[in-house]
Amino acid sequence: PNFLKDNTDRNRTSPFAFTGNKFEFRMPGSAVNLSDANTILNTAMAKSLKEFADAMEGKSGDEFEAAAIAYIKDDLRKHQRIIFNGNGYSEEWVEEAERRGLPNLPSMVDAIPALTTEKAIKLFKGFGIYTQAELVSREEVEYEQYSKVINIEARAMINISGKQIIPAVIHYTTRLADSIRKVSEACPEADVSVQKGLLLHASKLLSDMEQARTKLLQDVELYGPEKDAEKKARAYHDTIVPDMRALRTPVDELEQIVDKDLWPYPSYGDMIFEVSEP
């Protein structure tokens, strides 16, 4: 049969795009297994094909063609609201999706419960894909996986900031203080306002970093023993992740002012622009 060539922009900005006749996965992480998504896609496709086959049952010839065209029109009309070929990352799409009545699940933790809705259980049981117990177990595993990954990242931040970044910033502020003292002693008339300004700013950021690090450590210790997988995942999403952002903020700013020879890690500039000698 003749098909019209897909004339959309192929939704290049979507991380999970439907491009005319297939789904594309854009840069999934190395630890990501696409079988889960493919299982769901194939089950959804099977459901659609079954409904189509049931609607066409007993029809043939011209009657079949007319019924098929009518079915496709009706199906497209019902589901037109999910089609969007613009920038899937934009705030425009978030607003448009809300206007169309589409769900917006901004995090993995918010999305996990979709596995065990009444609708999902009926779908997967109906096609013999998953039982209710298997879906519940997968839900549990997803919550646990999320918490474990965030826990590892949070504890890594605590160790890195405490053992390497804070000592580096203390070394930097000490160097500034020595500079102010030595220059003032050698020449009392000299303007050391720049050094003083940097010292005050770096010291304030150092204090902010230690406060954020302390809160992150306290919250990790608080929520770590939680046995309920869903409660733990939500605590990590709602509390630990914001704590991590709060710790990162002063560290990113300090990276811009601390001496390059004192900073214990490659900067963004090093990683993006500098090439090591062969």
Side-chain angles (χ1 to χ4, degrees), residues 1 12 62 65 81 85 93 160 167 177 203-204 266 276:
R12 291 184 180 89
D62 293 341
E65 184 172 347
R81 66 195 182 107
N85 289 316
W93 170 230
I160 289 169
S203 297
K204 174 64 168 60
S276 59

Side-chain angles (χ1 to χ4, degrees), residues 92-191:
E92 171 200 0
W93 170 230
V94 175
E95 296 171 358
E96 176 63 18
E98 183 177 1
R99 187 188 69 79
R100 298 184 187 188
L102 299 176
N104 178 18
L105 305 175
S107 75
M108 176 180 174
V109 175
D110 294 319
I112 291 172
L115 279 170
T116 53
T117 61
E118 183 179 344
K119 182 179 179 181
I121 292 170
K122 181 180 178 181
L123 171 66
F124 288 108
K125 284 180 66 177
F127 282 90
I129 308 298
Y130 295 131
T131 65
Q132 182 172 349
E134 288 172 329
L135 288 168
V136 170
S137 69
R138 279 162 173 74
E139 182 183 52
E140 184 90 2
V141 168
E142 293 290 353
Y143 282 130
E144 183 180 9
Q145 175 72 6
Y146 179 86
S147 298
K148 284 184 175 180
V149 170
I150 298 300
N151 183 64
I152 291 170
E153 293 176 352
R155 290 188 179 278
M157 288 185 75
I158 291 166
N159 288 334
I160 289 169
S161 58
K163 294 178 180 178
Q164 295 178 285
I165 296 179
I166 287 177
V169 178
I170 290 174
H171 194 167
Y172 172 67
T173 53
T174 301
R175 183 181 291 184
L176 282 172
D178 287 342
S179 171
I180 294 169
R181 178 176 54 80
K182 290 177 181 178
V183 171
S184 297
E185 288 177 357
C187 181
E189 297 81 12
D191 183 359

Side-chain angles (χ1 to χ4, degrees), residues 29-83:
S30 59
V32 173
N33 188 331
L34 298 180
S35 63
D36 287 339
N38 283 329
T39 297
I40 292 170
L41 288 173
N42 286 330
T43 305
M45 177 65 76
K47 177 178 181 292
S48 296
L49 292 176
K50 181 181 183 301
E51 290 174 348
F52 177 79
D54 290 345
M56 298 300 107
E57 188 72 32
K59 297 179 175 62
S60 61
D62 293 341
E63 182 189 12
F64 178 91
E65 184 172 347
I69 293 172
Y71 183 92
I72 292 169
K73 285 183 177 179
D74 183 59
D75 216 39
L76 185 59
R77 189 179 300 111
K78 288 178 180 177
H79 302 291
Q80 180 72 30
R81 66 195 182 107
I82 72 169
I83 299 174

